Amino acid sequence: MELNEFIEHLNSGKRVIGGSEELMKMHELSQEAMRVTCELNYKYHTPEEIRELFSVLIGKPVDEAFGLFPPFYTDCGKNITIGKGVFINSGCQFQDQGGITIDDYALIGPKTVIATLNHGFAPEERGALDPKPVKIGKRVWIGANATVLPGVTIGDNAIVGAGAVVTKDVAANTIVGGVPAKVIGTVPQ
């Protein structure tokens, strides 16, 4: 299976079944992601080298203003899209098979988890994977240790408080916090 076929399958929201060609491709990409993230995480790199390694990881160039403090973890990498001036702090973990888009100038706090896969709920379907994309808007700020679950869109300028678990879409210019995340304010204009 070619990479573009795999990404197309996942981005269409189609289920990935255990033992399928898609699952085999997922395992192949996981091995590549482990190799690149190991290189990224376990020795010092200049900001330019970090951008170069991250570009290899996601399979496309990143903006020269992109910043990342390792370590960074992902089990795929190839379904991440990064806008201009994005900063990802240390210890973040992205499960990106379902697609993660981070728009311009977003700030991702340390140890943030972004998940895009869920398992089937029925016991006999637990081996199946259901992809749903996560979209993070322009100038979003996600605080430390936040978790963003599959299918969530976070609107432009929103703030996600530290430790929040985001289970539903967040409107633009809103501040959310808590478990599950609830609206706790608005961004000053």
Side-chain angles (χ1 to χ4, degrees):
M1 170 171 263
E2 296 296 319
L3 176 61
N4 61 342
E5 292 175 276
F6 172 72
I7 298 295
E8 202 173 286
H9 179 91
L10 293 173
N11 289 349
S12 71
K14 292 179 187 169
R15 180 170 266 194
V16 176
I17 305 296
S20 68
E21 191 177 7
E22 292 80 17
L23 190 64
M24 302 317 288
K25 186 66 173 182
M26 196 177 283
H27 287 299
E28 175 190 322
L29 292 172
S30 292
Q31 293 303 307
E32 181 183 342
M34 283 190 279
R35 181 184 57 75
V36 176
T37 56
C38 190
E39 170 68 21
L40 177 67
N41 293 336
Y42 295 107
K43 70 179 191 181
Y44 172 77
H45 295 284
T46 66
E48 295 80 18
E49 292 169 332
I50 288 172
R51 284 193 295 276
E52 184 179 317
L53 283 165
F54 200 83
S55 292
V56 169
L57 181 64
I58 69 172
K60 48 195 145 220
V62 292
D63 180 66
E64 63 184 33
F66 170 77
L68 169 74
F69 285 172
F72 175 82
Y73 306 97
T74 185
D75 52 2
C76 181
K78 299 300 187 220
N79 210 0
I80 297 172
T81 302
I82 301 287
K84 295 177 183 174
V86 169
F87 176 71
I88 300 171
N89 214 321
S90 62
C92 291
Q93 184 161 352
F94 290 9
Q95 180 198 49
D96 65 283
Q97 288 91 339
I100 296 173
T101 302
I102 303 175
D103 213 334
D104 300 344
Y105 307 105
L107 304 173
I108 311 298
K111 298 185 180 175
T112 293
V113 173
I114 301 176
T116 66
L117 291 176
N118 230 333
H119 290 277
F121 281 17
E124 64 277 2
E125 295 179 353
R126 295 272 162 81
L129 298 167
D130 297 316
K132 291 184 182 173
V134 168
K135 295 180 178 152
I136 298 170
K138 288 180 170 65
R139 299 191 185 281
V140 167
W141 173 22
I142 298 179
N145 289 304
T147 299
V148 181
L149 296 181
V152 167
T153 296
I154 301 174
D156 293 349
N157 306 312
I159 298 172
V160 175
V165 176
V166 185
T167 61
K168 297 177 183 170
D169 289 355
V170 176
N173 302 304
T174 343
I175 303 169
V176 298
V179 180
K182 294 181 177 17
V183 175
I184 57 175
T186 55
V187 174
Q189 298 294 321

